[in-house]
């Protein structure tokens, strides 16, 4: 197995259900990867800054594909950004809020994740779990920047239905309900797979030299950028159907254990 690029989703994949990981085992894996000229990428809906906060010094020389693949950050510098034009994003947000005003809608920009001030406290805590820079507003009209992505959280689990109701926007933006509680909306043609293709082009690494790990429906696009497709045991059945390997679940450190086995690391 000739692997030069490792790509891992975070929530439900690399991180356990408490958003934690074994830093010692990952550091050892990363050191072994560096000895073999293998690059590591985190690919996640989380803000890049939030990923840096979680993994600390281990972010060094690690590519971070954040905000649902709309940004690439490497060693403190953003090397790629994809945005939705401001007025179009606000139009879509209004349609979503009209469908169900109780849904939490985040408008993510280079400055941070904008969320309404009157959002429930439980939802605010959830937002801070994925976003380091959160900005509270009274109205989405206050946002002047173009939007990296729109994220929708529905605690009642109706996101797949909401995604169907905004399907008419699919000719203008990329829409994915990654599970029952989350929708992500990015610029047209921007998804985990296409953004990983950008890193592959930059590093001159092919999909045939890439292994990807995931658990959600948005990782189906990620798998398109990798020959070796690993779904976690806790993954959605639809993703498992696309995989050529199933790893032990995220709470058992499945990403690191699988890589140590496949790459013959001690």
């Amino acid at each position: 197995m000739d692997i030069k690029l490792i790509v891992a989703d975070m929530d439900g994949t690399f991180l356990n259900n408490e958003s934690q990981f074994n830093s010692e085992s990952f550091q050892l894996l990363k050191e072994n990867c560096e000895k073999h000229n293998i690059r590591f990428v985190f690919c996640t809906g989380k803000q890049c800054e939030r990923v840096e906060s979680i993994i600390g010094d281990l972010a060094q020389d690690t590519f971070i594909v954040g905000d649902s693949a709309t940004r690439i950050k490497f060693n403190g510098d953003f090397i790629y950004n994809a945005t939705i034009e401001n007025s179009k994003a606000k139009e879509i947000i209004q349609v979503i809020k009209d469908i169900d005003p109780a849904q939490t809608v985040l408008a993510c920009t280079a400055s941070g994740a904008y969320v309404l001030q009157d959002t429930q406290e439980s939802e605010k805590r959830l937002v801070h779990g994925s976003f380091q820079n959160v900005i509270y507003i009274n109205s989405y009209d206050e946002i002047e920047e173009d939007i990296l992505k729109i994220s929708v959280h529905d605690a009642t689990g109706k996101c797949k239905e909401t995604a169907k109701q905004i399907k008419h926007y699919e000719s203008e933006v990329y829409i994915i309900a990654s599970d029952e509680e989350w929708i992500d909306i990015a610029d047209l043609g921007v998804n985990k797979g296409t953004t990983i293709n950008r890193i592959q082009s930059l590093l001159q690494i092919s999909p045939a030299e890439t292994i990807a790990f995931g658990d959600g429906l948005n990782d189906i696009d990620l798998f398109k950028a990798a020959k070796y497709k690993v779904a976690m045991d806790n993954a959605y059945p639809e993703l498992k159907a696309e995989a050529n390997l199933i790893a032990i679940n995220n709470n058992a450190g499945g990403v690191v254990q699988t890589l140590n086995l496949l790459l013959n690391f001690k």
Side-chain angles (χ1 to χ4, degrees):
M1 182 178 284
D2 185 20
I3 298 296
K4 293 184 179 178
L5 187 69
I6 298 166
V7 186
D9 171 56
M10 294 200 79
D11 292 314
T13 301
F14 181 78
L15 299 176
N16 64 23
N17 291 349
E18 284 72 48
S19 294
Q20 298 174 344
F21 69 102
N22 186 314
S23 59
E24 291 182 2
S25 63
F26 177 58
Q27 182 172 3
L28 183 58
L29 170 70
K30 198 160 177 281
E31 290 171 355
N32 281 324
C33 285
E34 289 168 356
K35 292 175 185 175
H36 291 82
N37 296 313
I38 300 171
R39 308 303 292 266
F40 203 98
V41 182
F42 284 115
C43 189
T44 176
K46 293 183 182 296
Q47 229 171 30
C48 293
E49 293 86 351
R50 182 62 184 144
V51 177
E52 290 171 325
S53 174
I54 291 171
I55 65 175
D57 292 341
L58 293 170
Q60 182 69 25
D61 296 330
T62 300
F63 284 89
I64 300 172
V65 174
D67 276 309
S68 300
T70 61
R71 308 191 93 183
I72 302 173
K73 194 172 188 180
F74 183 70
N75 287 346
D77 295 322
F78 287 102
I79 60 176
Y80 171 71
N81 296 275
T83 58
I84 308 169
E85 192 271 326
N86 182 284
S87 62
K88 176 57 63 178
K90 287 177 180 175
E91 176 187 326
I92 295 170
I93 289 170
Q94 187 58 56
V95 170
I96 293 168
K97 294 298 283 186
D98 288 343
I99 292 170
D100 183 358
Q103 295 177 104
T104 298
V105 180
L106 295 99
C108 302
T109 75
S111 297
Y114 288 89
V115 63
L116 294 179
Q117 184 65 55
D118 61 3
T119 299
Q120 292 183 2
E121 288 302 318
S122 59
E123 290 290 288
K124 287 180 179 179
R125 288 193 294 272
L126 185 144
V127 168
H128 283 276
S130 290
F131 300 92
Q132 193 74 9
N133 302 326
V134 179
I135 303 165
Y136 289 101
I137 51 175
N138 294 313
S139 167
Y140 295 104
D141 291 336
E142 298 175 33
I143 305 170
E144 298 180 353
E145 303 166 86
D146 285 340
I147 309 299
L148 291 164
K149 72 158 180 172
I150 302 164
S151 282
V152 182
H153 181 253
D154 186 344
T156 66
K158 298 176 184 174
C159 274
K160 289 185 179 180
E161 182 59 35
T162 299
K164 291 177 183 177
Q165 293 184 63
I166 59 172
K167 192 176 178 65
H168 56 284
Y169 282 110
E170 286 186 340
S171 62
E172 301 175 75
V173 293
Y174 170 79
I175 303 169
I176 181 69
S178 56
D179 57 38
E180 288 81 0
E181 293 190 3
W182 285 99
I183 298 171
D184 285 315
I185 302 168
D187 193 25
L188 189 64
V190 176
N191 59 59
K192 287 187 173 186
T194 59
T195 303
I196 292 303
N197 288 154
R198 288 181 175 273
I199 292 178
Q200 289 167 331
S201 179
L202 176 68
L203 300 176
Q204 296 186 312
I205 294 173
S206 71
E209 300 166 311
T210 303
I211 185 168
F213 292 79
D215 74 298
L217 299 177
N218 55 344
D219 294 317
I220 292 175
D221 286 311
L222 171 60
F223 278 7
K224 294 174 182 177
K227 176 181 178 180
Y228 305 102
K229 314 167 200 294
V230 186
M232 311 308 291
D233 187 50
N234 52 284
Y236 275 82
E238 295 93 328
L239 187 71
K240 288 183 176 180
E242 300 290 327
N244 42 38
L245 184 65
I246 307 299
I248 58 175
N249 68 69
N250 63 311
N251 287 319
V255 171
V256 173
Q257 288 200 42
T258 300
L259 287 168
N260 282 333
L261 180 65
L262 293 177
L263 299 174
N264 198 29
F265 291 158
K266 301 296 183 183

